[in-house]
Amino acid sequence: MRKFTAHYSFIILLIISYSCNPVYRASSVQYKDYPVQSERKDASVQNFLQPYADSVNNSMNLVIGQLAVDLDKRQPESTLGNFMADAMKAMAEKYYKTTIDGAFINYGGIRLNGIKAGAITRGKIFELMPFDNVIILQKLKGTVLQEFLDHVIGRGGWPVAGITMQMKDKKAVNVMIGGKPIDPNMIYTIANSDYVANGGDNCVMLKVIPQINNGSLLRDGLIEYVQSFTQKGQPITATIQNRVTNAQ
């Protein structure tokens, strides 16, 4: 049970002491904006915070890898999206020590429109994925996965790895998983962020599905994924692979 501090205890006493008094409500509220002409800085506070600021800046400016090509964000498929989905799948398999049939990145959760070729820093990954989203695994029956894929297509198409599909009338058709057509009765293991797995972006079909969660952050996975290429002396690259296309 959470312990109350003296501050909160004092607030509670105030509430109790005034509980028998009449309740007054303002009949109107008036206000006026006052512009701030100057800002006064406290040197002692700045001096206290400076070492922490320096540490954060050094960490964020650390180069963790190299991009061989520009990566861009667009729908239904993009190089930036493919890079992130590939990272999600690879790191989910590493963190959970299992095979992942499909990995997804919520398109709206990608917070940069692109990354230029060249050095990529830790800070750039934080800009790309500023949220503390956790990688979640869920086991979906083929029928539920199809419902989710239809939703993804209805949203214009999301980055995906391990699965290819086509768009027709805002539905996912010609779905292939691991090179095989989707089986309505088969159980598939997919990786998503906790935001999506918990029903975010109206993914209500996933909200009721049990989750496998070991607390691994997607952002940490992206950083480790980039560093793995650096350790091999290789730059990051990504291409359009027709993972999500329009049906003919």
Side-chain angles (χ1 to χ4, degrees), residues 6-180:
H7 174 71
Y8 287 110
S9 299
F10 177 70
I11 293 175
I12 292 172
L13 287 174
L14 284 177
I15 294 172
I16 293 174
S17 64
Y18 283 92
S19 61
C20 296
N21 292 342
V23 177
Y24 297 97
R25 295 184 175 85
S27 59
S28 65
V29 177
Q30 296 181 348
Y31 64 92
K32 183 177 181 180
D33 291 332
Y34 292 92
V36 177
Q37 301 297 334
S38 62
E39 182 181 348
R40 181 178 171 184
K41 297 182 179 180
D42 189 321
S44 63
V45 173
Q46 285 185 298
N47 291 335
F48 173 77
L49 294 177
Q50 192 60 52
Y52 299 97
D54 292 342
S55 177
V56 169
N57 289 334
N58 290 337
S59 176
M60 291 299 103
N61 292 330
L62 179 67
V63 174
I64 59 174
Q66 296 287 329
L67 292 178
V69 296
D70 291 349
L71 301 181
D72 68 336
K73 172 188 175 183
R74 64 182 62 183
Q75 289 177 295
E77 183 184 356
S78 68
T79 51
L80 181 58
N82 285 353
F83 153 69
M84 295 182 70
D86 286 345
M88 164 78 93
K89 186 173 186 295
M91 301 317 296
E93 290 181 333
K94 178 179 179 179
Y95 294 154
Y96 288 94
K97 295 180 174 57
T98 189
T99 300
I100 307 297
D101 295 303
F104 301 85
I105 298 291
N106 175 25
Y107 185 78
I110 304 174
R111 293 300 175 166
L112 290 179
N113 290 324
I115 304 178
K116 292 295 184 181
I120 181 170
T121 63
R122 181 188 298 271
K124 186 61 67 175
I125 299 298
F126 271 76
E127 292 180 53
L128 180 66
M129 182 62 59
F131 314 107
D132 288 335
N133 288 139
V134 177
I135 299 175
I136 298 293
L137 301 192
Q138 291 176 298
K139 295 184 179 296
L140 274 57
K141 190 175 180 180
T143 51
V144 178
L145 178 55
Q146 180 68 57
E147 183 181 358
F148 173 62
L149 296 178
D150 288 342
H151 182 74
V152 165
I153 293 301
R155 283 286 194 267
W158 288 1
V160 59
I163 298 176
T164 62
M165 53 189 162
Q166 293 184 314
M167 309 169 63
K168 185 175 182 180
D169 300 326
K170 295 187 176 181
K171 300 289 185 182
V173 299
N174 301 323
V175 177
M176 303 291 286
I177 304 175
K180 299 179 181 179

